[in-house]
Amino acid sequence: MKGFERLNPLSAALYYLCVLGLSMFSMNPLMLVISLFCAVLTCIADGTVKARGHLFALILFIVAAVLNPLIVHKGATVLFYLNDRPFTMEAAVYGVTAAVMLTAALYWLRSLSRVFTADKVMYLFGRISPKLALLISMTLRYVGLFKYRFRRIRDAQRALGLYDDGNLIDAVRGNARVLSILITWTLENGIVTAESMEGRGYGSGRRTSYAPYRLHGTDAVFMLLTALLTAIAVAGTAHSSAVFYPELNFDLLNPWGIAGTAAFSLLSLLPLILNAKEAIRWRILSSKV
Amino acid sequence: MAYLELEGLSFTYPEAAQSALTDISLQIERGELVALLGATGSGKSTLLRLLKPELRQNGTIQGEVMLDGRSVDSLSSRESAGIGYVAQNPDEQLVTDKVWHELAFTLENLGAPREQIARRIAETSAFFDIDSLYSRDTATLSGGQKQLINLAAVMTADPELLLLDEPTAQLDPIAATRFIETVCRLNRELGLTVIVSEHRTEELFSLCDRVIVLEHGAVIYNGKPREIAERISSDSPYLSFLPAAARLFRLTGGRGEAPLSIREGQRYVSALKSRTTAAFDAPKPAQAEPALELKNVYFRYERNGSDILFDLSMSVNSGEVFALLGSNGAGKSTAAAVAAGLRKPLSGSVKLFGKRLKDYHDGSLYRGNLSLLPQDVESLFLCDTVREELKGCEEVLKDFPYDLSRLYDRHPYDLSGGERQLVALCKVLSTRPRVLLMDEPSKGLDGGMKRMLIELIKEFKAKGMTVVLISHDVEFAAMCADRCALFAQGGIAAVDTAERFFSDNRFYTTAASRMTRLIAHGAYTVERAARILGGDG
């Protein structure tokens, strides 16, 4: 596990919330390009996205970029006419910006789904409600158990010559039979689980919720930094403007705008920085040996 | 005053004519390891459940259970969580999806602070040597591992009394031994008081401090293991509760103190060496045509997964009882599913009576040719009563040596494990198979039921049926198989006649064979050993 992934899930959740929020709600082309660049880099660095994933993202990018000027005909600068419809520069720029946003969000979400394992999601729910966390955990166990048992029952019935999926009606009938057995079996066995829970003190009073994660000093620093950078970036976005129609009119490089973009760049690079720091320390430590 | 005292304890289930437990008085000292034995339905579970308030079933209780000078009825539910309880089924007792969560569950319920939970989990997993399982999904564990987690989870609450209800019934012998050894360590190293009910007594008998035998809800034996071994005679129905060494001792007319462990048994056997009669004639391998043939079969569940079956080849002769032995999770059940045509091999061929399985069209394979008794017989039951369940099995029931009619009005789930097995067997036989595959048929059965099943299998054979047993139960296979195969690494590591298989194996063999291997060849069951040593077995 690397530095970023080792953070408390709460820190990671806050981080993705900020980065994704800023990437999706600001139409600041400069920030979006930085966002996309950092997201792609993050995904490549920890091997989340393979060649096929990149190809998919590229196709998505092209489709999104081309679609807007084909559909939207607003804008003052007409580049050419297609089927008697104007193809404008403004619509094209807007399309590319939107495509950058979409692709950046895609990459951030991929990174998120890699970092947030089921355990971490559980932990977050557990912070909200310990009962909900237990319910999810039990449900997850049952999903696997059901699948396994469904297969066992289907096999047993098939070997009795009672399950046949040769045609639709037989398949429906066969599966209904399997499902019926599955439910009886599970309900009967549920008593044992209930007893096991009760025998281990379930319902004996207030519960606590345990999770193998702690909030460290690093998490506090990380969360503060994330919040601070996000605040600056939001302020920067508020003070800069990007108007696409009828004419392109960008005011991005005023002092606030520059500060906001810089803060956002740093924010987007945080996972990479955390992981790189660890890699460098690893090098130093191992070279000393 | 003893640590645990039962005074005139009786229990009657609602609407039952007879009481399940009658007038039981026992004193158990702190730190004792007590083995509770008895046939299915003798009241072992009922007794254990009465000791823990939440697990008591509906019914009338008379008498008193005192724990450390207090009535257990007066325990609050938090205090009662300090009585640990582990039951038979490893799967159903797990509550959550992750091992760490399972270990934390008990203390979470008791409202323990985070630090204490972390510390107790760390301690417990070190003691149980399950550290490596910490972040695994509970579903991916083997039965033995699951049962260890169940025990560890109960132990996190730091109980002083541990109640175990047939905890090893579903485990393979190696996992069962490991479990019993862990229980012993808890008893020896932590001074825990343990009461464990069991059918499998091979290790437990010599390790425990006291043996209590129940019959029809009453205590008939209560004493030190050696005393009990002395009091059970060779014609007693409780002979099967004794470990192999003591059984052999009784059957060969031994007097005085009976040997309990394999080591003691070996000493006893070598003293009898002079009495040894001639060895067994090796049975002539009958020339029979193959009934079921697997050739170079490979199989895996996932495209990128590892091979579950790796170059598996075996040939089962028609009319024989063939046992496929191996530990749990080795892939035996998968082998059975492939042999039964339920899974298609990745490569290789499966033939039944010389014809490829896929050439049996329109389900003709499962009509009159091949049948499978699954491991979980519950997967066969669809109806609310046994009568409905057995509809269409009239033919089978006519020749069936056991009368099932007394079970007709009961729900299949209300039957004991053995009775369920018999009903399932009838269902499976209703298709009149020539080859019957049985997946772990002896799992969870008591001695009497196992003998019944062995008789049935012998009868199937006499009728010309081919039986393939897929089992981890070495002792069971030794009692009825003609040929045995050892399944390992996805293939067959060894296949031989039962006699040579058990006599030549050093580790994977029966208790009787371990005791007698130095002086006699082929004495791989206690009965055969007794015969060779001049007893009346």
Side-chain angles (χ1 to χ4, degrees):
Chain A
M1 235 198 294
K2 291 201 210 148
F4 183 65
E5 282 170 55
R6 218 186 299 120
L7 286 175
N8 189 288
L10 276 177
S11 311
L14 177 75
Y15 178 78
Y16 283 110
L17 194 72
C18 292
V19 165
L20 268 167
L22 281 168
S23 304
M24 282 158 74
F25 294 110
S26 85
M27 267 312 258
N28 179 333
L30 192 58
M31 269 170 66
L32 287 177
V33 169
I34 291 167
S35 178
L36 175 61
F37 179 73
C38 294
V40 172
L41 222 55
T42 308
C43 284
I44 291 176
D46 54 19
T48 313
V49 182
K50 302 262 151 48
R52 276 172 75 180
H54 291 303
L55 187 69
F56 174 76
L58 187 69
I59 293 169
L60 183 84
F61 182 89
I62 293 169
V63 170
V66 168
L67 217 56
N68 190 59
L70 288 181
I71 297 167
V72 179
H73 308 290
K74 290 193 286 186
T77 327
V78 178
L79 295 177
F80 53 87
Y81 285 89
L82 203 69
N83 283 348
D84 295 334
R85 300 245 175 208
F87 190 102
T88 68
M89 186 179 78
E90 287 77 11
V93 172
Y94 188 89
V96 171
T97 312
V100 169
M101 178 184 82
L102 211 62
T103 329
L106 177 78
Y107 274 98
W108 282 124
L109 284 172
R110 277 172 170 166
S111 161
L112 177 145
S113 71
R114 177 195 147 89
V115 171
F116 272 89
T117 53
D119 266 14
K120 291 186 180 175
V121 176
M122 273 275 309
Y123 169 76
L124 289 178
F125 279 117
R127 302 287 299 202
I128 302 165
S129 155
K131 273 200 185 130
L132 185 65
L134 179 65
L135 196 69
I136 294 173
S137 176
M138 290 178 69
T139 313
L140 283 175
R141 191 182 80 87
Y142 269 114
V143 170
L145 209 59
F146 274 5
K147 268 206 238 160
Y148 170 78
R149 283 199 184 139
F150 191 89
R151 233 183 13 221
R152 304 290 309 229
I153 297 169
R154 201 182 49 198
D155 283 356
Q157 295 293 320
R158 185 175 279 158
L160 269 184
L162 291 174
Y163 180 90
D164 185 11
D165 48 12
N167 62 52
L168 187 69
I169 293 170
D170 280 347
V172 169
R173 199 178 290 156
N175 279 315
R177 174 191 277 270
V178 171
L179 213 60
S180 157
I181 296 175
L182 177 68
I183 290 168
T184 320
W185 192 5
T186 305
L187 289 181
E188 287 289 337
N189 284 337
I191 298 167
V192 181
T193 311
E195 275 177 351
S196 161
M197 291 174 72
E198 217 177 329
R200 288 199 268 153
Y202 184 75
S204 68
R206 200 183 56 83
R207 281 190 98 238
T208 44
S209 179
Y210 174 79
Y213 304 102
R214 278 169 210 250
L215 275 173
H216 294 282
T218 331
D219 288 299
V221 173
F222 182 85
M223 283 202 258
L224 269 176
L225 190 63
T226 306
L228 184 72
L229 291 175
T230 308
I232 300 173
V234 168
T237 320
H239 283 85
S240 52
S241 67
V243 177
F244 291 88
Y245 302 115
E247 274 189 310
L248 296 179
N249 184 6
F250 294 164
D251 175 21
L252 304 174
L253 295 177
N254 61 49
W256 268 112
I258 292 171
T261 309
F264 182 75
S265 311
L266 189 58
L267 183 70
S268 304
L269 285 170
L270 274 182
L272 284 169
I273 294 172
L274 265 170
N275 291 346
K277 193 181 112 198
E278 197 145 290
I280 291 167
R281 184 173 287 180
W282 180 253
R283 278 272 172 80
I284 295 171
L285 283 176
S286 54
S287 65
K288 273 185 193 157
V289 174
Chain B
M1 198 173 188
Y3 175 61
L4 180 67
E5 288 206 20
L6 281 64
E7 283 170 24
L9 193 66
S10 298
F11 183 80
T12 314
Y13 284 103
E15 290 167 45
Q18 281 180 317
S19 57
L21 293 174
T22 359
D23 195 23
I24 292 189
S25 295
L26 288 171
Q27 269 117 37
I28 290 165
E29 297 297 333
R30 195 185 279 276
E32 263 193 289
L33 175 56
V34 180
L36 186 61
L37 311 180
T40 305
S42 60
K44 299 189 307 279
S45 295
T46 314
L47 179 60
L48 285 178
R49 282 164 169 276
L50 285 181
L51 306 183
K52 190 166 161 68
E54 305 92 69
L55 298 175
R56 290 189 175 177
Q57 286 157 318
N58 280 337
T60 26
I61 307 172
Q62 280 162 341
E64 190 88 66
V65 182
M66 303 289 280
L67 182 69
D68 215 5
R70 280 178 68 190
S71 165
V72 290
D73 301 295
S74 69
L75 295 178
S76 72
S77 50
R78 289 233 153 145
E79 285 169 322
S80 170
I83 302 175
Y85 175 81
V86 177
Q88 185 181 127
N89 192 323
D91 273 302
E92 302 307 327
Q93 294 176 79
L94 294 169
V95 177
T96 64
D97 64 329
K98 294 280 179 192
V99 169
W100 65 260
H101 202 180
E102 199 61 36
L103 293 177
F105 182 73
T106 315
L107 288 174
E108 282 182 342
N109 292 333
L110 302 178
R114 195 196 177 287
E115 293 70 29
Q116 196 195 334
I117 298 182
R119 172 182 178 170
R120 194 69 89 215
I121 290 180
E123 274 191 295
T124 320
S125 36
F127 186 89
F128 284 83
D129 193 20
I130 47 174
D131 247 350
S132 56
L133 306 178
Y134 183 81
S135 49
R136 290 263 297 271
D137 279 347
T138 48
T140 63
L141 305 179
S142 71
Q145 287 171 326
K146 281 178 186 160
Q147 201 64 318
L148 270 184
I149 299 293
N150 284 324
L151 181 61
V154 158
M155 287 308 299
T156 54
D158 196 14
E160 285 185 31
L161 174 63
L162 193 57
L163 308 172
L164 306 170
D165 193 0
E166 298 183 22
T168 67
Q170 310 279 328
L171 309 184
D172 68 70
I174 290 162
T177 305
R178 185 175 171 205
F179 188 89
I180 291 295
E181 279 167 1
T182 310
V183 170
C184 265
R185 274 185 65 207
L186 289 171
N187 171 260
R188 302 275 191 273
E189 296 176 21
L190 305 178
L192 201 69
T193 314
V194 185
I195 307 177
V196 47
S197 80
E198 266 297 356
H199 291 313
R200 232 182 121 267
T201 56
E202 199 56 51
E203 292 89 18
L204 188 64
F205 209 93
S206 54
L207 291 170
C208 67
D209 302 309
R210 195 209 298 223
V211 174
I212 294 172
V213 181
L214 291 182
E215 184 181 71
H216 304 311
V219 175
I220 56 161
Y221 294 110
N222 174 9
K224 291 205 163 59
R226 289 205 187 271
E227 291 168 24
I228 305 295
E230 221 151 292
R231 279 158 62 189
I232 293 178
S233 62
S234 62
D235 50 0
S236 159
Y238 293 107
L239 189 67
S240 70
F241 288 164
L242 296 181
R247 260 191 345 253
L248 183 60
F249 181 79
R250 284 274 161 263
L251 289 176
T252 49
R255 304 224 180 282
E257 200 168 86
L260 294 181
S261 65
I262 300 282
R263 209 162 51 134
E264 290 170 0
Q266 271 177 351
R267 222 170 289 154
Y268 170 70
V269 165
S270 48
L272 290 185
K273 201 171 177 181
S274 55
R275 265 165 65 179
T276 316
T277 52
F280 292 96
D281 299 332
K284 294 246 160 54
Q287 280 303 316
E289 51 195 274
L292 182 66
E293 271 179 298
L294 277 77
K295 214 173 253 167
N296 311 108
V297 168
Y298 288 79
F299 181 82
R300 64 174 81 125
Y301 281 103
E302 280 142 24
R303 194 152 70 116
N304 298 322
S306 52
D307 285 325
I308 308 291
L309 302 181
F310 186 85
D311 199 8
L312 170 67
S313 297
M314 65 178 204
S315 170
V316 179
N317 295 332
S318 118
E320 74 173 345
V321 178
F322 185 91
L324 185 60
L325 295 162
S327 53
N328 278 0
K332 297 191 309 293
S333 287
T334 308
V338 169
L342 297 167
R343 301 266 171 281
K344 304 274 173 288
L346 211 60
S347 74
S349 72
V350 185
K351 282 184 191 167
L352 188 73
F353 298 111
K355 191 167 146 188
R356 283 170 170 269
L357 288 189
K358 61 181 171 199
D359 294 331
Y360 286 85
H361 295 296
D362 300 325
S364 62
L365 177 62
Y366 302 121
R367 275 197 306 271
N369 285 311
L370 182 143
S371 205
L372 170 74
L373 180 73
Q375 196 175 133
D376 318 290
V377 290
E378 288 80 3
S379 57
L380 292 170
F381 298 146
L382 185 66
C383 308
D384 290 333
T385 61
V386 172
R387 189 191 308 278
E388 292 171 64
E389 207 63 70
L390 290 178
K391 215 169 265 176
C393 304
E394 290 78 12
E395 285 279 296
V396 180
L397 287 169
K398 221 163 43 194
D399 311 339
F400 208 64
Y402 301 103
D403 183 24
L404 298 180
S405 56
R406 66 192 168 82
L407 307 175
Y408 276 4
D409 292 317
R410 292 170 61 187
H411 194 282
Y413 282 91
D414 292 337
L415 306 180
S416 75
E419 291 165 339
R420 276 185 211 185
Q421 201 79 323
L422 292 182
V423 173
L425 202 51
C426 282
K427 271 191 87 113
V428 166
L429 288 174
S430 68
T431 61
R432 296 269 144 198
R434 292 158 76 192
V435 175
L436 177 63
L437 297 164
M438 303 170 92
D439 196 354
E440 301 293 358
S442 65
K443 202 158 131 179
L445 301 190
D446 66 7
M449 271 296 174
K450 271 190 198 176
R451 271 196 303 280
M452 209 169 186
L453 196 60
I454 288 166
E455 290 310 314
L456 268 173
I457 290 171
K458 285 184 176 162
E459 206 173 298
F460 295 161
K461 187 191 163 190
K463 284 183 188 160
M465 198 190 286
T466 310
V467 180
V468 184
L469 297 171
I470 293 101
S471 182
H472 56 229
D473 192 339
V474 177
E475 306 285 341
F476 177 77
M479 302 285 281
C480 54
D482 299 315
R483 284 199 308 146
C484 296
L486 180 58
F487 186 89
Q489 315 300 331
I492 303 278
V495 54
D496 221 325
T497 60
E499 183 172 328
R500 278 206 298 265
F501 184 85
F502 290 115
S503 300
D504 293 350
N505 278 2
R506 182 76 180 91
F507 301 100
Y508 209 84
T509 187
T510 58
S513 169
R514 286 176 202 191
M515 283 187 287
T516 57
R517 63 193 299 273
L518 293 176
I519 63 151
H521 193 84
Y524 59 88
T525 64
V526 170
E527 287 70 20
R528 285 170 75 106
R531 215 182 307 152
I532 232 176
L533 292 172
D536 51 1

